[in-house]
Amino acid sequence: MIITGTSNGIGKFLAKHYLQKGYIVIGCSRGECDIEADFYRHYYLDIADETKVNSLFRDIKKDFGRLDVLINNAGIASYNHSILTSVSTVKRIFETNVFGMFLFCRESVKIMNKNNFGRIINVSTVLVPMKLEGEAVYAASKASINTLTEILAKEFYPFGVTVNAVGPTPIMTNLIKNLPENKIQDLIAKIPLGRLGVFEDVVNVVDFFIKPESNFISGQIVYLGGV
Amino acid sequence: MKTKNEILEIIYNSIDELNLQKEKKLSKEEKTKLFGKDCDLDSLGLVNLISIIEDNIEEVTGNYIPIADERAFSLESSPFKTVGTLAEYIQKLLNEQ
């Protein structure tokens, strides 16, 4: 199993969860990662760096010969008014959130194809349907992920690979910890089920998508929090 | 540096692998069409063939080269039009390494 963005937040939690369940987990991040486990391997890389990503997939092919699950979790957020957002920020967000995610999908399916089995889960966000001011670029990048999820599902199904997405509500991770308190309270007020998410909410949906019995579920985006 | 004939050999070996999964066999000739009218390969078959070729190139040269091109399904300028054009395209990719 590959999980991108395992240095903190949801990615780190998912990595620990699936290590506990007995998976061999390959994680990656740009920043420091402190996960230590026999069946964990970490790559320090920028997920949009095609050369480094290709080399990660070559290692997987050589060392394991198979890949069952990809969780595209790595992402960067940005809360800002569009007028105050530089194009370089837009590029940086799309490079990681969309280009990097696409690259991992493309290379994963080539290995999954060999066993005619695979599960790809992309991490989206409720901010896509909520369409909040200040989240234009971040939400647009995640909307791209949703569209990619829906179309890749059709392209990859002949290879036995399902592609789905989970759209968490904000969780108190690094992505939102810098938001002003009143903004977080405003956000919670707009979530129908009335609270921030917890990591377990996300794991529950990912577990469901991974199940062998979920082989007839693809191209779906499941939003949390009643959104 | 690989010659076109060496690359053709890699492609022909890949076609052998692909044909194991196919009822209607793809012939091993430079003029064999890889997509479009009068072609024995559907788009899924082409994707499968490219994936096998990538593996075999890596095995022979030690380099992983993703064979991706936005003109893949363009009738006029696709490098995947025939086995011959694909060999030339792969040669170009290898030389750019």
Side-chain angles (χ1 to χ4, degrees):
Chain A
M1 165 186 292
I2 297 179
I3 306 174
T4 65
T6 47
S7 60
N8 53 46
I10 300 173
K12 186 174 179 177
F13 191 86
L14 286 167
K16 288 186 168 172
H17 172 76
Y18 288 109
L19 281 165
Q20 247 174 14
K21 285 188 110 178
Y23 280 86
I24 297 171
V25 177
I26 312 294
C28 63
S29 66
R30 283 176 303 182
E32 206 56 45
C33 176
D34 60 7
I35 301 173
E36 279 181 24
D38 288 344
F39 294 109
Y40 181 76
R41 185 192 288 183
H42 193 82
Y43 286 80
Y44 289 98
L45 52 78
D46 177 341
I47 61 162
D49 181 335
E50 189 168 3
T51 310
K52 288 196 176 146
V53 172
N54 285 341
S55 145
L56 178 154
F57 279 95
R58 281 181 66 190
D59 285 356
I60 290 177
K61 209 153 60 169
K62 205 167 61 204
D63 297 344
F64 304 105
R66 65 181 290 172
L67 174 66
D68 298 323
V69 182
L70 163 68
I71 304 175
N72 271 309
N73 159 73
I76 43 179
S78 157
Y79 176 78
N80 201 349
H81 194 286
S82 298
I83 290 174
L84 304 177
T85 304
S86 69
V87 170
S88 64
T89 301
V90 180
K91 278 188 184 159
R92 193 169 49 87
I93 290 169
F94 270 78
E95 265 169 16
T96 298
N97 295 5
V98 185
F99 305 167
M101 167 265 183
F102 175 81
L103 190 53
F104 270 76
C105 286
R106 190 189 74 188
E107 293 308 309
S108 288
V109 78
K110 290 179 187 173
I111 303 180
M112 291 169 171
N113 177 27
K114 296 187 191 314
N115 288 319
N116 202 40
F117 175 87
R119 297 277 185 267
I120 296 178
I121 296 104
N122 299 318
V123 177
S124 179
T125 170
V126 293
L127 296 172
V128 176
M130 288 173 81
K131 297 176 174 54
L132 300 180
E133 309 91 317
E135 302 283 0
V137 178
Y138 179 64
S141 73
K142 293 290 187 177
S144 302
I145 286 179
N146 290 357
T147 303
L148 280 166
T149 299
E150 289 163 341
I151 298 177
L152 295 184
K154 292 181 182 170
E155 291 192 357
F156 293 174
Y157 194 67
F159 304 114
V161 177
T162 65
V163 188
N164 292 289
V166 54
T169 62
I171 296 173
M172 198 48 86
T173 64
N174 285 348
L175 289 185
I176 69 159
K177 72 176 185 198
N178 294 326
L179 279 183
E181 180 56 32
N182 64 328
K183 284 285 165 200
I184 293 175
Q185 289 311 320
D186 285 353
L187 203 55
I188 292 172
K190 287 173 182 155
I191 296 169
L193 300 190
R195 66 164 169 86
L196 289 178
V198 292
F199 294 136
E200 287 80 357
D201 298 324
V202 183
V203 165
N204 179 42
V205 180
V206 178
D207 273 344
F208 169 70
F209 285 143
I210 288 176
K211 279 167 70 172
E213 295 85 349
S214 296
N215 66 349
F216 205 46
I217 297 165
S218 199
Q220 304 304 305
I221 294 139
V222 173
Y223 293 116
L224 296 174
V227 174
Chain B
M1 189 83 171
K2 292 272 165 207
T3 64
K4 186 177 170 186
N5 281 338
E6 286 173 314
I7 293 165
L8 279 171
E9 197 186 319
I10 296 174
I11 297 177
Y12 292 156
N13 289 337
S14 305
I15 290 177
D16 281 338
E17 279 183 51
L18 183 78
N19 279 342
L20 292 174
Q21 316 159 17
K22 270 171 89 342
E23 221 167 87
K24 199 165 181 191
K25 309 296 179 199
L26 198 65
S27 68
K28 295 190 285 181
E29 292 172 276
E30 275 200 57
K31 63 174 191 205
T32 301
K33 286 188 177 177
L34 295 179
F35 82 92
K37 231 177 120 193
D38 308 321
C39 170
D40 293 331
L41 205 58
D42 58 11
S43 59
L44 197 60
L46 176 60
V47 171
N48 259 326
L49 177 63
I50 295 298
S51 173
I52 297 170
I53 292 172
E54 283 178 345
D55 280 352
N56 290 340
I57 287 176
E58 186 180 353
E59 210 169 284
V60 174
T61 67
N63 289 324
Y64 170 66
I65 298 165
I67 306 173
D69 194 286
E70 67 278 6
R71 297 166 299 167
F73 291 99
S74 149
L75 274 176
E76 293 194 348
S77 55
S78 172
F80 308 142
K81 246 198 285 194
T82 66
V83 165
T85 60
L86 178 60
E88 283 156 19
Y89 179 64
I90 292 172
Q91 192 177 23
K92 189 170 144 256
L93 289 179
L94 282 169
N95 288 343
E96 282 168 0
Q97 282 278 300

